[in-house]
């Protein structure tokens, strides 16, 4: 129990860390992109002022002469070009920068670039005394352009995060259900054990009075069956031991017991292979699964009909089929049949098939499903266990 609590706590820690990480990445990336964009706009604005001052001041001092080229040359990342008021590019030195030479030499490419720049940012106007105002067209730097893919990457990351969240909550739910069923099963085993011990004592007393009584022998069989049922419940939640036992023998023993306990109006038959099947399985738990399937078939036929149980091998899998000609199921009923708490019976708890699936899936690495069902014609349940 302590280990399970620690496991759940670790899951929640992972979830909180992942949530915090996603939020931090989204906030940091958005802030970084906005910051870089504003900084680049400031740099282009400063560059535009430098160009304007260079054109307006006729006799600047030495400091200004040194500062203006430095402002122009410091921009090594942001592409820009200065045009006249008719969008004709000015190709003098210092009036464009960070644009490929091939584009500069091709007027068509250059005009296309200017139009694209205009779509992204409004040009900055440089007012000159003679009225022939100029315009500075610019675009994002290569770094900022690369960062524009970050929203898509973030979107993918968020999708992965939601996928992880779905898996996380589903795992938590399944774990909680597992502990619930395990606790219920162990408590049931404990409750059965107390009166069972008393019944065993009284049985021994009855045998002293009449040891050859047929009724005593039958009651003794049922007491042994109750002991087996109690042991089944006690194994839920723990890892059972799987042994290479004769699978035919396990099925045959279940068949022999169940045939004497179900209605004589039911034609119950068993088909086994003629050769021995050695399959790793837990005899007690496997018997429980078979018993659940047979009793469900009996309930579906309302105590009258045909049950055919077959064991055969296919593609290195051992298959067990329980087929009945009872009421069958709708598609929705078949989809929900193995869900915990689901039952088509008024007095059913919906635990039998759910626990049977747990036994086959988790303890025997196998599969259990409804291979065929039709309303009014019956159902076929199939267990598949891989033969080692």
């Amino acid at each position: 129990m302590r280990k399970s609590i620690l496991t759940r706590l670790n899951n929640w820690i992972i979830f909180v860390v992942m949530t915090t990480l996603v939020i931090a990445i989204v906030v940091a990336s958005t802030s970084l992109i906005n910051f870089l964009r504003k900084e680049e706009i400031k740099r282009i604005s400063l560059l535009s002022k430098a160009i304007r001052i260079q054109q307006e001041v006729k006799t600047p001092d030495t400091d200004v002469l040194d500062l203006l080229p430095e402002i122009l040359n410091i921009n090594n990342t942001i592409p820009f070009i200065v045009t006249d008021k008719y969008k004709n590019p000015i190709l003098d030195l210092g009036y464009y920068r960070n644009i490929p030479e091939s584009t500069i030499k091709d007027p068509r490419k250059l005009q296309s670039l200017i139009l694209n720049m205009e779509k992204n940012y409004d040009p900055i106007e440089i007012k000159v005394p003679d009225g022939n105002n100029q315009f500075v067209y610019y675009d994002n730097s290569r770094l900022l352009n690369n960062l524009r893919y970050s929203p898509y990457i973030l979107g993918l990351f968020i999708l992965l995060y939601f996928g992880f969240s779905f898996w996380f909550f589903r795992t938590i739910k399944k774990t909680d259900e597992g502990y619930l069923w395990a606790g219920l099963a162990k408590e049931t085993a404990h409750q059965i054990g107390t009166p069972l011990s008393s019944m065993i004592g009284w049985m021994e007393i009855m045998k002293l009075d009449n040891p050859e009584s047929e009724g005593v022998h039958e009651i003794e069989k049922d007491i042994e069956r109750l002991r087996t049922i109690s042991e089944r419940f006690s194994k839920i939640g723990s890892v059972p031991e799987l042994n290479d036992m004769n699978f035919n023998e396990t099925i045959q023993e279940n068949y022999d017991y169940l045939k004497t306990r179900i209605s004589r109006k039911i034609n119950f038959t068993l088909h086994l292979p003629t050769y021995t099947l050695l399959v790793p399985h837990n005899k007690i738990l496997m018997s429980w699964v078979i018993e659940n399937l047979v009793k469900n078939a009996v309930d579906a036929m309302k105590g009258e009909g045909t049950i055919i149980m077959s064991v055969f091998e296919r593609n290195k899998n051992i298959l067990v089929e329980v087929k009945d000609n009872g009421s069958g199921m709708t598609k929705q009923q078949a989809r929900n049949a193995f869900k915990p708490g689901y039952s088509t019976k008024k007095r059913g708890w919906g635990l039998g098939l759910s626990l049977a699936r747990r036994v086959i899936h988790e303890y025997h690495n196998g599969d259990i499903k409804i291979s065929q069902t039709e309303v009014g014609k019956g159902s076929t349940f199939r267990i598949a266990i891989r033969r080692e």
Side-chain angles (χ1 to χ4, degrees):
M1 182 62 71
R2 183 180 179 184
K3 184 178 179 181
S4 65
I5 293 173
L6 290 175
T7 301
R8 293 176 64 188
L9 181 61
N10 287 336
N11 287 339
W12 277 108
I13 291 173
I14 292 172
F15 176 72
V16 170
V17 169
M18 288 293 291
T19 303
T20 305
L21 184 62
V22 167
I23 294 173
I25 290 175
V26 171
V27 173
S29 299
T30 304
S31 299
L32 177 62
I33 292 172
N34 289 334
F35 173 77
L36 290 176
R37 182 177 284 111
K38 290 177 181 178
E39 288 299 308
E40 290 191 356
I41 292 173
K42 287 179 182 178
R43 289 169 63 186
I44 289 296
S45 298
L46 179 62
L47 185 143
S48 302
K49 290 178 181 178
I51 295 175
R52 178 176 57 80
I53 293 171
Q54 191 175 34
Q55 293 178 350
E56 287 180 350
V57 179
K58 300 302 181 182
T59 56
D61 57 29
T62 307
D63 292 336
V64 174
L65 286 174
D66 293 337
L67 180 61
L68 294 177
E70 187 176 344
I71 293 174
L72 293 172
N73 294 330
I74 202 172
N75 173 33
N76 295 316
T77 56
I78 307 171
F80 76 92
I81 187 167
V82 182
T83 71
D84 61 21
K85 59 183 178 182
Y86 302 108
K87 292 187 181 179
N88 296 317
I90 302 172
L91 301 180
D92 296 338
L93 186 64
Y95 282 77
Y96 67 91
R97 197 167 181 83
N98 304 315
I99 297 175
E101 195 64 29
S102 59
T103 303
I104 293 296
K105 292 180 179 180
D106 189 332
R108 187 174 299 175
K109 286 184 179 180
L110 192 56
Q111 284 297 328
S112 177
L113 177 64
I114 292 171
L115 290 175
N116 286 332
M117 288 178 170
E118 189 176 19
K119 290 178 182 178
N120 294 331
Y121 294 99
D122 293 331
I124 299 174
E125 186 177 8
I126 300 175
K127 295 182 179 181
V128 294
D130 60 5
N132 293 319
N133 295 344
Q134 298 172 345
F135 294 87
V136 179
Y137 291 85
Y138 63 100
D139 206 346
N140 296 325
S141 64
R142 182 177 296 179
L143 173 62
L144 201 56
N145 277 331
N146 289 337
L147 285 175
R148 74 174 184 267
Y149 296 109
S150 61
Y152 302 103
I153 297 173
L154 282 174
L156 177 61
F157 190 83
I158 290 170
L159 285 176
L160 293 174
Y161 168 73
F162 281 123
F164 165 79
S165 299
F166 175 77
W167 167 85
F168 170 77
F169 284 115
R170 188 176 180 183
T171 301
I172 290 294
K173 183 180 178 182
K174 288 182 69 175
T175 302
D176 288 342
E177 288 175 354
Y179 291 137
L180 174 63
W181 303 136
L184 177 63
K186 290 182 182 296
E187 179 62 22
T188 303
H190 176 72
Q191 294 294 335
I192 292 175
T194 303
L196 187 60
S197 299
S198 178
M199 290 173 67
I200 292 172
W202 283 106
M203 193 71 235
E204 294 301 321
I205 294 173
M206 292 173 66
K207 286 170 69 175
L208 291 174
D209 292 340
N210 191 355
E212 301 302 325
S213 170
E214 182 180 351
V216 170
H217 284 301
E218 288 300 316
I219 294 174
E220 192 173 24
K221 288 181 183 178
D222 285 333
I223 289 176
E224 184 61 32
R225 193 66 176 180
L226 282 172
R227 184 186 294 170
T228 301
I229 291 170
S230 177
E231 190 174 349
R232 290 173 184 171
F233 278 110
S234 67
K235 288 181 180 293
I236 295 296
S238 58
V239 180
E241 183 180 352
L242 304 183
N243 299 311
D244 281 325
M245 293 185 294
N246 189 334
F247 197 67
N248 289 353
E249 186 179 290
T250 300
I251 302 299
Q252 184 70 56
E253 288 179 4
N254 274 269
Y255 171 76
D256 293 339
Y257 174 80
L258 291 170
K259 189 171 183 179
T260 61
R261 295 300 188 272
I262 62 177
S263 171
R264 294 187 178 181
K265 294 181 181 180
I266 292 178
N267 180 23
F268 190 17
T269 58
L270 172 65
H271 300 297
L272 289 174
T274 55
Y275 54 92
T276 301
L277 291 176
L278 292 178
V279 182
H281 68 285
N282 183 278
K283 191 173 184 178
I284 293 175
L285 292 180
M286 186 59 66
S287 299
W288 188 10
V289 173
I290 298 300
E291 184 175 328
N292 262 293
L293 297 184
V294 171
K295 286 185 175 180
N296 275 341
V298 172
D299 291 339
M301 296 185 299
K302 298 180 180 178
E304 185 175 355
T306 300
I307 298 177
I308 302 173
M309 187 158 61
S310 307
V311 179
F312 53 97
E313 189 172 5
R314 180 187 296 167
N315 299 329
K316 296 184 179 180
N317 286 325
I318 305 302
L319 304 179
V320 181
E321 285 191 347
V322 178
K323 183 178 182 180
D324 66 71
N325 63 347
S327 58
M329 287 180 278
T330 64
K331 290 183 178 179
Q332 183 178 1
Q333 288 173 334
R335 282 195 299 269
N336 296 324
F338 293 99
K339 292 182 178 179
Y342 181 82
S343 176
T344 57
K345 294 176 284 188
K346 292 182 179 179
R347 293 181 296 174
W349 282 24
L351 298 179
L353 289 178
S354 172
L355 290 174
R357 187 174 194 177
R358 182 187 179 98
V359 168
I360 299 299
H361 277 205
E362 298 185 19
Y363 299 150
H364 290 85
N365 251 347
D367 186 34
I368 182 171
K369 64 181 181 180
I370 301 171
S371 61
Q372 184 276 329
T373 186
E374 187 175 347
V375 176
K377 294 188 177 181
S379 304
T380 301
F381 284 79
R382 176 181 291 174
I383 300 170
I385 299 176
R386 189 166 184 82
R387 187 174 186 178
E388 299 295 337

